[in-house]
Amino acid sequence: MWYAIEGHDGDDVLALRRQARTRHLARLEALRDAGRLLLAGPCPRTDAEDPGPAGFSGSIVIAEFASLDEARGWADADPYVEAGVYARVDVRPFRPVLP
């Protein structure tokens, strides 16, 4: 089943995000390579492709896991969680309809 994972950045965490980004992306690339990633990306704090020093408000990942517990476990092990980037992470089932 597909799951939506939404990480919500804390305040002033852009430097932490940059430090953990390579490890964060490696995990996403592994999901992609396994055919289990629908989409992933950050949410800029401003209405701009590159938010500059404003940074990001969080990230969204939609990926396939065997269960909600497995999705939560994967999300809990994210380098952004370990680095203190995310203040909160929500994980919930997702059902793609379009396109």
Side-chain angles (χ1 to χ4, degrees), residues 14 17-18 42-57:
L14 186 56
R17 180 182 265 273
R18 287 179 177 147
C43 301
R45 281 196 192 274
T46 61
D47 189 13
E49 188 74 21
D50 179 357
F56 300 90
S57 62

Side-chain angles (χ1 to χ4, degrees), residues 41-91:
C43 301
R45 281 196 192 274
T46 61
D47 189 13
E49 188 74 21
D50 179 357
F56 300 90
S57 62
S59 302
I60 297 172
V61 173
I62 299 179
E64 188 175 33
F65 294 94
S67 67
L68 181 57
D69 285 341
E70 184 182 317
R72 285 184 176 140
W74 186 90
D76 289 345
D78 192 294
Y80 283 174
V81 171
E82 294 171 0
V85 174
Y86 292 154
R88 184 177 99 240
V89 178
D90 298 322
V91 181

Side-chain angles (χ1 to χ4, degrees), residues 38-39 62 94-99:
L38 186 63
L39 67 86
I62 299 179
F94 178 81
R95 188 171 59 96
V97 175
L98 294 171

